[in-house]
Amino acid sequence: MDNLGRDSAVLRPSSWRGAVLLRSEYPDASPICGGTDLMVDINFARARPSGLLDLTSVQGIDSWELTDGGRTVRIGAGVSFTTIIEKLSGVCPALAQAARTVGSPQIRNRGTVAGNLATASPAGDSHPVLMACWARVEVESVRGPRLIDIDDFFVGPKRSALAPDELIRAVLIPAATGAQQFAKVGPRNAMVIATTSFALNLDVAGRRVGTGIGSAGPTPLRARAAEQMLEEAMADRWDEPGTVDESLARRFGALVAEAASPIDDVRGSAEYRRHALAVLGRRCLTWALADLSREAAA
């Protein structure tokens, strides 16, 4: 335990069990691994935690593995966005695409998907992909481990289903079986919070469509009507998608926009966000179907 201030402390466990025990004993201490969100809040006096639970020394937290016969990738809470880009672009292509849009190289070297989840911001760059890929969040406390479906994880703006004594240990994501896409709109091309974002997952093995919308509602959202419409349209086309139907792409984009619940803020108006989502939905579907066609022809 190190001093953070007169009334604060830094707790540094070396094992996962130790981290869980300290989380139970000091529930007001803020977990930190990359610190790319928390340290900003501390520096701007938006947060004054009573202590920090530093997870950077926990053994194994920065590792990933393929499980379930290679059908699922388990990403440890300390795995950086840079590692995702370099190591996981084949099994989680949309997550790697989203990771490339996160901050600067320095931020990507430190930031993690688990940290993104813990912050639970509606604008988190990884969240739309996790929605589209039906991810599950592995959490643990002294009471034991549990898995939270991504659809149940976000409960409000910057609020999640995590209990006060729980820590995120890993994120479980089904490996891609078809084309995936992620696209983001912001005031500039880099180091920007999303005005809105969208992810699409064409799961060929499961014959299903996954979507995720970011920064256009109080929580990340799923465009369920768009998923259903596209699944019906793709019923006989999964193995041979053929050419992209422009009318299908436009209808899909319109349904994505309808699923949003945006507000006006400093990054953009609600009207602009809906328009941008229609464009992103159309583009992501066009790109994904083109990828599927190339794979089918190979």
Side-chain angles (χ1 to χ4, degrees):
M1 183 184 299
D2 297 332
N3 288 335
L4 180 64
R6 187 178 63 182
D7 301 316
S8 306
V10 178
L11 313 168
R12 288 193 171 95
S14 60
S15 68
W16 179 252
R17 181 60 181 167
V20 170
L21 289 172
L22 285 171
R23 182 61 168 159
S24 176
E25 187 176 356
Y26 300 94
D28 293 332
S30 295
I32 184 170
C33 195
T36 56
D37 285 320
L38 178 60
M39 292 310 300
V40 172
D41 286 342
I42 291 175
N43 289 338
F44 282 91
R46 293 195 294 259
R48 280 291 180 263
S50 62
L52 298 179
L53 179 56
D54 182 0
L55 302 176
T56 55
S57 298
V58 174
Q59 296 179 2
I61 201 172
D62 59 349
S63 64
W64 63 272
E65 61 179 335
L66 289 173
T67 64
D68 191 27
R71 291 188 291 271
T72 302
V73 58
R74 181 181 183 273
I75 303 173
V79 173
S80 70
F81 286 113
T82 296
T83 298
I84 290 170
I85 295 167
E86 294 176 349
K87 304 294 185 180
L88 299 178
S89 60
V91 291
C92 299
L95 187 60
Q97 291 170 5
R100 292 187 183 96
T101 74
V102 174
S104 64
Q106 295 90 339
I107 296 296
R108 294 192 290 273
N109 287 341
R110 296 292 302 171
T112 66
V113 172
N116 228 195
L117 282 167
T119 303
S121 167
D125 289 319
S126 66
H127 298 164
V129 177
L130 300 180
M131 297 288 291
C133 294
W134 307 285
R136 293 176 295 165
V137 186
E138 181 184 329
V139 306
E140 190 169 345
S141 71
V142 293
R143 293 170 287 109
R146 67 178 178 128
L147 290 176
I148 306 174
D149 287 339
I150 195 64
D151 287 302
D152 300 323
F153 186 82
F154 304 100
V155 299
K158 296 193 174 183
R159 294 191 298 116
S160 73
L162 277 174
D165 64 342
E166 286 182 321
L167 290 171
I168 297 173
R169 186 169 191 176
V171 181
L172 305 177
I173 306 176
T177 67
Q180 297 182 350
Q181 289 291 334
F182 171 83
K184 169 180 171 180
V185 171
R188 58 186 184 185
N189 289 332
M191 296 180 66
V192 65
I193 298 174
T195 300
T196 194
S197 57
F198 179 70
L200 173 63
N201 177 23
L202 300 184
D203 177 19
V204 174
R207 298 309 199 246
R208 58 180 182 168
V209 175
T211 60
I213 297 170
S215 201
T219 65
L221 302 169
R222 189 183 297 281
R224 297 188 184 277
E227 293 173 353
Q228 181 178 353
M229 182 276 294
L230 187 56
E231 286 174 357
E232 293 172 356
M234 292 287 293
D236 300 321
R237 297 178 54 183
W238 284 105
D239 296 318
E240 296 182 8
T243 59
V244 176
D245 185 334
E246 181 64 22
S247 63
L248 174 66
R250 289 190 175 278
R251 177 60 178 155
F252 180 77
L255 289 173
V256 168
E258 289 178 13
S261 182
I263 60 171
D264 298 331
D265 64 17
V266 295
R267 294 196 301 276
S269 67
E271 181 181 5
Y272 174 74
R273 283 185 164 96
R274 286 195 181 91
H275 169 74
L277 280 169
V279 174
L280 295 183
R282 183 174 73 247
R283 288 178 178 174
C284 283
L285 178 57
T286 300
W287 297 333
L289 288 177
D291 288 344
L292 277 187
S293 295
R294 282 191 293 270
E295 291 171 7

